[in-house]
Amino acid sequence: MKKHAEKFIGKLREPKSLRLYTWTSFMLFVTIILLLLWLFQYVFLESYYETMKSRDLGRVADKIENNIDSPNLAKQVRNLAFKNSFAIAVTDSGCNLVQYENTMGSFSLIDADIRRNFNRGLYDMKSRLIDSGKSWITITPKLDGNDDIRKMIYVTSAQSDTNHTFYIFIEASVEPIDATANIIKEQLIYITVIIFELAFIITLFLSKRFSRPIDSLTATAEKFAKGDLNVKFEPSKIREVNQLSDVLNTASDEIQRVETLRRDIVANVSHDLRTPLTIIKSYAEMIRDLSGDNPEKRNEHLDVIINESDRLSNLVNSILELSKLESAKKELELNEFSLHEKLSEVMSRYTLLNEQDGYNIHTELSEDVTCLADFALIEQVLYNLINNAVNYCGEDKEVIIRQLNKEGFVRIEVCDHGEGIDEKLLPHIFDRYYRAPKSKRDVIGTGLGLSIVKQILKQHGFAFGVSSTVGEGSVFWFEIKVI
Ligand code: ADP
């Protein structure tokens, strides 16, 4: 038994289809509304009617109470009794009549009491009011053998200006509402059936309408998951579904872009690896077949092989470095360092180039600052930018590393007077494997230097950029946080 119950609860908790969910929720809502309708229109009708009646009587009683000292009391009582078909009696504290008006004829219970019982009934009712401790009560006397006529008597007291207590008795007929209740019941049955049928059809239609765009998105997403990357997620009239399809379209575009990039990278890398490998192979063959016995030629060919191997290893290192940076596996190790100290370390690497190859690589420094960054990575940025400037510098062979102190950061500029970069190409310069047309890259570069620079600076959150004029040279700049 317990097992069955658990199974049933488990089934209930299973995710339901949107269509079923909309349908059941709407039907539940309709059922609750109908239930409330039945309760108020049928079950509570009688008590509601009696409450309304006693409220009416209370209002009339209030009017009399307010006029208890007025010389117009008699007129007021008469008017109210006629207007509402009531029997109204106002008595003193001994239940002797002060005012009396009856428009119900011999049907009136108060009238019968006054005529036949010497006001004993009024006396009883007054006692019940006092015993109840309330300011007013309603009494619904049982009438033997006459179900069609029911009465309600409202009893309350009033205090005159002379501090005398008066009692007000108002009698009204309570019309039987059985017939009305039956009519309402019959109508309610029709209404219930019609509303249920309508709700059933409308919700079936609505739930289908709501779930259709999501079903269509799911179908498209299934195609996408199976590898069809060209699918388009259709917009719909529902805003949330539209937002979802927009997000999915963006995701699909991004995946397509990454896929294209992956293909490009594989093509580029294999091209880049193939060139030095071919050179190495052909020079090795040359040594074997031709220059093996000629030490001068052999050494020359071996130098080419060594240079190409270095280039190959540089390329592989750069690829590894970049993929590590891009997958954010490399955590930043922030440290404080003196800019001048570190710059002079970097510059010492270029002494040989300055002295032997006639380069003029020098710094233009401002006041020293303490930087906060991962120095090993910033050092790599500097090397990549200076190496590029050296590779692409002009005839003057001058490369300037300039320091500009700003509020909260220091700006480093690496300037050369080379051929510069075309304005149209500037936005692509930091992209992976970007090669400017006619660049010397085939000979010297890997095409990854600037994308490594970009990754490192992005990871630090430092600004960077380039300005360049064709024929005049380029300025590559970046910022480092100072403390
Ligand atoms: P590479 O290894 O080819 O230099 P980079 O990513 O470092 O690769 O640079 C990408 C391209 O940007 C280069 O191929 C070159 O066309 C251009 N470039 C980079 N630095 C300079 C510079 N200082 N002057 C002119 N062109 C440059």
Side-chain angles (χ1 to χ4, degrees), residues 388-389 392 416 421 429 434 436 439 441 445-450 474 476:
N388 274 354
Y392 301 102
D416 65 67
I421 307 157
I429 215 82
Y434 176 76
S439 97
R441 178 174 169 268
T446 59
L448 293 174
L450 286 182
S474 317
F476 281 83

Side-chain angles (χ1 to χ4, degrees), residues 84-268:
N84 297 292
S85 305
F86 291 163
I88 302 175
V90 180
T91 71
D92 62 10
S93 54
C95 282
N96 302 308
L97 287 177
V98 179
Q99 291 297 335
Y100 172 59
E101 204 63 58
N102 171 27
T103 57
M104 301 168 84
S106 53
F107 283 116
S108 163
L109 292 176
I110 292 182
D111 194 67
D113 183 54
I114 293 169
R115 278 182 210 289
R116 288 182 230 137
N117 271 342
F118 310 108
N119 302 5
R120 213 180 302 143
L122 297 183
Y123 208 85
D124 276 354
M125 290 191 279
K126 175 195 128 185
S127 308
R128 278 168 75 175
L129 173 71
I130 294 167
D131 290 348
S132 75
K134 294 183 191 156
S135 62
W136 60 269
I137 54 169
T138 52
I139 297 164
T140 42
K142 287 234 165 351
L143 297 177
D144 295 336
N146 198 349
D147 276 350
D148 284 349
I149 306 164
R150 288 174 59 233
K151 303 282 185 184
M152 179 183 280
I153 302 174
Y154 188 94
V155 187
T156 187
S157 61
Q159 210 72 22
S160 73
D161 290 346
T162 48
N163 226 4
H164 285 97
T165 309
F166 291 90
Y167 288 91
I168 304 164
F169 302 86
I170 308 172
E171 179 185 355
S173 298
V174 181
E175 291 82 8
I177 55 163
D178 293 355
T180 323
N182 278 337
I183 293 170
I184 290 175
K185 186 179 163 187
E186 213 175 292
Q187 279 188 349
L188 275 181
I189 292 172
Y190 287 127
I191 289 173
T192 307
V193 172
I194 292 169
I195 288 188
F196 253 116
E197 278 176 2
L198 270 180
F200 187 89
I201 296 166
I202 291 173
T203 7
L204 215 61
F205 170 74
L206 278 183
S207 60
K208 229 178 187 172
R209 227 182 124 109
F210 289 156
S211 62
R212 200 181 300 137
I214 295 182
D215 287 346
S216 130
L217 280 190
T218 313
T220 319
E222 269 168 5
K223 269 195 224 157
F224 187 67
K226 280 185 187 142
D228 181 356
L229 297 186
N230 291 320
V231 290
K232 206 89 224 108
F233 292 91
E234 295 301 331
S236 100
K237 282 184 193 145
I238 302 170
R239 198 179 59 212
E240 284 80 357
V241 177
N242 240 355
Q243 283 167 344
L244 178 64
S245 83
D246 282 350
V247 171
L248 286 171
N249 276 329
T250 317
S252 120
D253 288 349
E254 191 60 20
I255 289 174
Q256 282 185 51
R257 204 182 64 77
V258 170
E259 179 59 20
T260 324
L261 197 69
R262 189 186 64 82
R263 257 189 249 132
D264 286 355
I265 289 171
V266 171
N268 277 327

Side-chain angles (χ1 to χ4, degrees), residues 1-16:
M1 188 66 193
K2 207 178 152 201
K3 254 193 176 164
H4 278 296
E6 275 172 10
K7 216 170 158 186
F8 180 68
I9 290 171
K11 267 237 148 56
L12 275 185
R13 286 196 181 143
E14 267 176 21
K16 289 170 206 64

Side-chain angles (χ1 to χ4, degrees), residues 223-483:
K223 269 195 224 157
F224 187 67
K226 280 185 187 142
D228 181 356
L229 297 186
N230 291 320
V231 290
K232 206 89 224 108
F233 292 91
E234 295 301 331
S236 100
K237 282 184 193 145
I238 302 170
R239 198 179 59 212
E240 284 80 357
V241 177
N242 240 355
Q243 283 167 344
L244 178 64
S245 83
D246 282 350
V247 171
L248 286 171
N249 276 329
T250 317
S252 120
D253 288 349
E254 191 60 20
I255 289 174
Q256 282 185 51
R257 204 182 64 77
V258 170
E259 179 59 20
T260 324
L261 197 69
R262 189 186 64 82
R263 257 189 249 132
D264 286 355
I265 289 171
V266 171
N268 277 327
V269 169
S270 32
H271 170 263
D272 280 8
L273 293 178
R274 206 182 302 126
T275 321
L277 281 175
T278 322
I279 299 175
I280 289 172
K281 188 176 171 232
S282 49
Y283 275 80
E285 279 170 355
M286 262 202 286
I287 296 170
R288 186 193 62 195
D289 301 337
L290 300 171
S291 60
D293 298 331
N294 179 342
E296 203 181 311
K297 275 262 177 249
R298 188 184 60 210
N299 283 349
E300 201 183 296
H301 291 167
L302 280 174
D303 276 347
V304 175
I305 290 181
I306 290 166
N307 283 342
E308 284 306 307
S309 310
D310 282 348
R311 201 180 140 194
L312 208 56
S313 121
N314 272 346
L315 182 68
V316 172
N317 283 343
S318 299
I319 291 170
L320 284 179
E321 182 71 21
L322 190 61
S323 66
K324 237 192 278 170
L325 282 169
E326 283 187 346
S327 63
K329 270 190 191 134
K330 202 161 176 170
E331 288 281 314
L332 291 182
E333 274 175 43
L334 295 183
N335 27 48
E336 293 171 19
F337 55 87
S338 141
L339 182 71
H340 285 190
E341 216 174 274
K342 293 296 177 186
L343 272 182
S344 76
E345 274 176 34
V346 172
M347 293 308 291
S348 66
R349 295 261 208 112
Y350 294 95
T351 337
L352 213 67
L353 271 181
N354 276 345
E355 286 170 1
Q356 290 186 355
D357 296 328
Y359 281 92
N360 178 15
I361 306 166
H362 63 95
T363 50
E364 280 180 11
L365 299 178
S366 306
E367 202 183 319
D368 192 16
V369 285
T370 309
C371 299
L372 181 70
D374 185 327
F375 180 68
L377 294 179
I378 294 296
E379 195 179 34
Q380 172 133 35
V381 170
L382 277 167
Y383 280 133
N384 287 5
L385 295 184
I386 299 174
N387 288 347
N388 274 354
V390 169
N391 289 332
Y392 301 102
C393 72
E395 308 226 311
D396 63 352
K397 291 193 166 182
E398 187 183 21
V399 175
I400 310 163
I401 294 100
R402 193 174 292 133
Q403 173 195 358
L404 296 164
N405 288 347
K406 307 266 171 169
E407 187 64 39
F409 62 90
V410 57
R411 179 176 162 125
I412 309 284
E413 293 183 349
V414 180
C415 324
D416 65 67
H417 305 127
E419 58 194 44
I421 307 157
D422 192 335
E423 206 182 327
K424 275 188 249 135
L425 307 178
L426 277 182
H428 309 289
I429 215 82
F430 286 93
D431 289 353
R432 258 169 176 236
Y433 286 111
Y434 176 76
R435 61 176 87 194
K438 291 187 281 172
S439 97
K440 294 191 261 177
R441 178 174 169 268
D442 272 356
V443 189
I444 39 184
T446 59
L448 293 174
L450 286 182
S451 31
I452 291 176
V453 167
K454 174 176 155 185
Q455 271 306 320
I456 292 175
L457 295 172
K458 259 174 73 180
Q459 208 178 340
H460 276 84
F462 295 161
F464 60 94
V466 56
S467 57
S468 186
T469 317
V470 176
E472 284 182 23
S474 317
V475 178
F476 281 83
W477 63 267
F478 67 97
E479 294 169 358
I480 314 176
K481 188 178 172 184
V482 300
I483 48 169

